[in-house]
Amino acid sequence: MAAAAKAGEATLRHAFGNVLSFFILLLIGVLAFSIRLFSVIKYESVIHEFDPYFNYRVTQFLTKNGIYDFWNWFDDRTWYPLGRVIGGTVYPGLTLTAGTIWWLLNSLNIPLSVETVCVFTAPIFSAFASWATYLLTKEVKGAGAGLTAAALLAMVPSYISRSVAGSYDNEAVAIFALIITFYLYIKTLNTGSLFYATLNAIAYFYMVCSWGGYTFIINLIPMHVLLCIVTGRYSSRLYIAYAPLVVLGTLLAALVPVVGFNAVMTSEHFASFLVFIILHVVALVYYIKGILSPKMFKVAVTLVVSVGLVVCCAVIAILVALVASSPTKGWSGRSLSLLDPTYASKYIPIIASVSEHQPPTWPSYFMDINVLAFLVPAGIIACFLPLSDASSFVVLYIVTSVYFSGVMVRLMLVFAPAACIMSGIALSQAFDVFTRSIKFQLLRILGFSEADAGDGSSANVVPENDAVKVDKSEETIKERPSRKNKKKEKEQMEKAQAEKTSAKSKTEKRLLVLPMELSVIGLLLLVFMGAFYVVHCVWAAAEAYSAPSIVLTSYTHEGLHVFDDFREAYAWLRHNTEVDDKVASWWDYGYQTTAMANRTVIVDNNTWNNTHIATVGTAMSSPEKAAWEIFNSLDVKYVLVVFGGLVGYPSDDINKFLWMVRIGGGVFPHIKEPDYLRDGQYRIDSQATPTMLNCLMYKLSYYRFVETDGKGFDRVRRTEIGKKYFKLTHFEEVRQS
Amino acid sequence: MYQRERERERERDYREEMARSTGKDAQALFHSLRSAYAATPTTLKIIDLYMGFAVFTALIQVVYMAIVGSFPFNSFLSGVLSCVGTAILAVCLRIQVNKDNKEFKDLPPERAFADFVLCNLVLHLVIMNFLG
């Protein structure tokens, strides 16, 4: 009867904990959604930056024309005269997701426009991502750690920066897909159920649809399997978790047109096949070991090893020869630049020129993950006590993502969920120890006699009962969903006490208990740290990451001044030019021009054709006549140039000009970078080289600039320009703003 | 002189005996493997037969591709991967149904079979889409 009452209490506590967790998760979702709405409040519901405009245009096409036209779309309004096969070169996950949401809402008679759906897709999916983080961390360390990790992920600035409302880019859904794929993998590993393995493959498919970063998953999971095999943790659950994923995953990845046969032919996937073969060998070995006697097994081993070694060497030699015969050893340029950080700057200047692809500076770590930076090592240690399959996976995840985030700033985004998981584990363990110590010390100080009697009675009881109690306490520690339930803590404390005072508890670990003052101070400090984190995240979200680059603001002595130059320029193009006119600009503005101005462009942000970009770069770097000839051969009617010297906008074309020279020079050898530099320095004032002063970019940017203030003072470069009075011979200025 | 001949003879005898002993070892190994395998229950043997059939079909497809060429590569890929996939799923089913496996002793075999069917369904759906 006492047992039944205790069981009833346990289920009630369990239920209460579950309800509490549900509400906490709901609040975390609301938090994740609302912290990303600063840009909508401060500016307007507009799509940010460059890449999201392309995704927005594709989504518009999808909603207007349906999915079959979308799969077969050949876009002739970009990369003139080459065009671009959209169906085969875009990762469809994001657009299909937003399109589905729009269609669903519209069929329910909620008439949201496509733009609204696109703007708010990212915040919704970040709420989903924090729920997925809760599930993943719960599988690793328990529900308390899960809730902490989810709360941390909802706010971490690195993730906010790429998923703010209006940032309609692949990462918005890809991070959610990443976390849920990892969760399902760990769940399959823990339970050994084929059902979760199927779900895992489907989640992996969603990830492949969404982002090129799926190669991280298909290399991390094999690495983890290998780690488990090497450390002797092979089990049949590992086989069930990995083998169906490889087969189904490869098939599903090959279904996506962007990946296609790359799923079986590029080196990025070979690791998964290699580990697949190794896993089967190990499984066979374990099976044979299971059915043979030890003596016969030894005989088998010697036989097989001698024969198998020869075969293995032959196969490996063939493989290496195959891979080595291809020029890049089978890896794509982007993956190679990840493995060897100096690769891009030597061979592919386009990849090196993107600012997102630069290595991050030390302060950016603190800016992007803040307090988590020093909780992560504590989390790694917590994962080792005890080490399970799931916690070894999370440790591997964080180590690899730290390396990649050090190579490229953009990959800080992949590091953020790992950091949140680790910090969640560390924080919840720390809270566990502190609250447990406080309860224990309180009990000792206040109810000392009761506890004594309790100890005495439990010690007098038959030792088996003690062992049962200890087992139950371990079990209940694992099952507790919420660490905030005081009654549960007290029971746990009493059981811990019973554990410690009973003579039979030698084999169980003694739970750590600290002195009272220390734990109170520690608890307060942790709370302060959490508050500091929250304040920083909200500041980062509001000030640093909410700027839609399409609308700029500056504070002059008259107050807030809003520059809408980009959109005004595109609107002018849209209304004052013919539909078929071609516009040439640097590739940064290609997506925006096609989406907002609806005109054909020469190059855009997809940067798939280096020669075409080099042609435009050469044209911008050549003198007027040569540039006019190049543009004429491309049927260009308008040239778009962004100039920020008048207001002090630093990312204009003159600052990007050296990249144009480098990229152009990479393909056309008559453009040499030293020609544009005076003594190795890039200048545009009177000391600039004549090649620089005569090139098209200089002329188009500074045409009639001297008329603005009489001296031609460039606010960004902070000098007066070199050549002030000149006429354009082959070009005509049609609009400036 | 005679000593060297005798040494050579002894070496030859030694090598023959080693070969014979490895031969005997291999035979003993096969015997014990066969006897141990014969002890497995019939249900598992059926699953093993199914697995063997799938792998055999995959081999036939690879040989055919080697002869005829790999032109509709997606058809070849989907064919081979469907055989490999069903073999692997059969192995997973065998693992979960095997009574000697302590990790899965509270998993009812009906649940294991249901999971197997579901996974096969998804696999073949994808195959039919990819077959072209």
Side-chain angles (χ1 to χ4, degrees), chain B residues 36-89:
Chain B
Y37 187 68
T40 55
T42 331
T43 43
L44 296 184
K45 279 203 202 142
I46 295 178
I47 298 179
D48 289 340
L49 204 61
Y50 177 61
M51 198 171 34
F53 163 68
V55 173
F56 181 60
T57 318
L59 281 172
I60 293 185
Q61 289 186 351
V62 172
V63 169
Y64 179 71
M65 182 211 67
I67 298 177
V68 168
S70 71
F71 165 54
F73 190 60
N74 54 329
S75 317
F76 165 66
L77 207 61
S78 65
V80 168
L81 282 179
S82 86
C83 294
V84 173
T86 48
I88 288 179
L89 291 178

Side-chain angles (χ1 to χ4, degrees), chain A residues 260-332:
Chain A
F261 297 144
N262 284 347
V264 290
M265 302 221 282
T266 52
S267 299
E268 282 129 359
H269 292 87
F270 282 169
S272 57
F273 299 142
L274 193 67
V275 175
F276 185 66
I277 295 176
I278 293 178
L279 181 72
H280 274 90
V281 168
V282 170
L284 196 66
V285 165
Y286 270 88
Y287 172 66
I288 295 199
K289 194 179 202 172
I291 62 173
L292 281 184
S293 66
K295 184 173 67 85
M296 294 288 13
F297 181 65
K298 270 200 209 97
V299 169
V301 165
T302 41
L303 256 181
V304 166
V305 163
S306 46
V307 169
L309 218 58
V310 176
V311 172
C312 251
C313 291
V315 167
I316 289 183
I318 297 178
L319 265 179
V320 167
L322 261 179
V323 171
S325 62
S326 75
T328 55
K329 318 268 183 287
W331 291 83
S332 78

Side-chain angles (χ1 to χ4, degrees), chain A residues 422-691:
Chain A
M422 282 301 179
S423 321
I425 292 175
L427 264 182
S428 94
Q429 299 280 68
F431 264 106
D432 261 352
V433 171
F434 286 144
T435 48
R436 183 168 58 219
S437 316
I438 292 180
K439 284 297 165 185
F440 180 61
Q441 305 288 10
L442 267 179
L443 275 177
R444 208 156 55 88
I445 294 174
L446 299 176
F448 193 81
S449 47
E450 289 179 23
D452 231 352
D455 280 356
S457 61
S458 66
N460 284 338
V461 162
V462 179
E464 288 152 21
N465 236 1
D466 248 344
V468 167
K469 251 197 192 173
V470 158
D471 276 352
K472 238 175 49 165
S473 79
E474 279 190 358
E475 236 181 71
T476 49
I477 289 172
K478 271 197 212 130
E479 276 174 20
R480 294 300 179 209
S482 155
R483 50 191 165 74
K484 298 195 177 144
N485 197 333
K486 289 196 175 152
K487 261 201 270 181
K488 173 258 306 184
E489 288 283 61
K490 188 164 175 191
E491 243 239 319
Q492 198 176 311
M493 267 340 302
E494 285 178 28
K495 289 208 174 132
Q497 267 180 270
E499 253 182 66
K500 283 181 6 204
T501 55
S502 128
K504 291 270 176 184
S505 68
K506 280 189 225 126
T507 48
E508 273 70 35
K509 234 187 341 177
R510 293 175 73 88
L511 297 172
L512 180 64
V513 166
L514 299 171
M516 166 87 132
E517 302 79 17
L518 190 64
S519 20
V520 169
I521 294 180
L523 213 55
L524 279 177
L525 285 179
L526 277 186
V527 170
F528 277 143
M529 191 163 70
F532 182 66
Y533 175 69
V534 170
V535 165
H536 172 85
C537 293
V538 173
W539 170 84
E543 297 299 323
Y545 290 133
S546 284
S549 321
I550 193 120
V551 176
L552 309 159
T553 57
S554 79
Y555 291 90
T556 62
H557 52 268
E558 292 143 359
L560 183 67
H561 192 80
V562 175
F563 295 103
D564 213 4
D565 285 2
F566 280 104
R567 289 197 291 180
E568 286 172 11
Y570 297 130
W572 183 92
L573 270 177
R574 193 190 195 109
H575 290 129
N576 294 315
T577 60
E578 307 289 317
V579 177
D580 281 327
D581 282 343
K582 324 281 183 277
V583 178
S585 65
W586 192 230
W587 57 262
D588 289 359
Y589 315 107
Y591 281 155
Q592 284 181 340
T593 315
T594 36
M596 285 196 271
N598 199 23
R599 294 289 172 266
T600 314
V601 291
I602 307 292
V603 288
D604 70 13
N605 307 53
N606 193 28
T607 64
W608 66 270
N609 190 334
N610 196 25
T611 317
H612 220 50
I613 296 184
T615 314
V616 173
T618 313
M620 295 294 194
S621 329
S622 319
E624 259 187 275
K625 182 150 179 13
W628 183 86
E629 273 165 21
I630 296 180
F631 280 144
N632 206 24
S633 72
L634 288 171
D635 291 342
V636 170
K637 250 190 120 200
Y638 295 91
V639 177
L640 175 77
V641 164
V642 173
F643 174 62
L646 183 57
V647 296
Y649 175 61
S651 30
D652 63 351
D653 281 353
I654 289 283
N655 269 355
K656 295 181 195 165
F657 179 60
L658 268 187
W659 284 110
M660 300 187 199
V661 171
R662 283 181 198 136
I663 296 176
V667 179
F668 299 99
H670 65 269
I671 305 283
K672 292 190 261 298
E673 193 183 338
D675 285 347
Y676 297 83
L677 307 171
R678 168 80 65 190
D679 304 326
Q681 258 203 348
Y682 178 56
R683 336 163 55 121
I684 45 99
D685 53 12
S686 47
Q687 294 296 316
T689 60
T691 340

Side-chain angles (χ1 to χ4, degrees), chain B residues 8 10 24 53 70 74 102 125:
Chain B
R8 262 183 254 129
R10 246 176 271 146
K24 258 191 272 173
F53 163 68
S70 71
N74 54 329
K102 286 179 259 5
L125 213 64

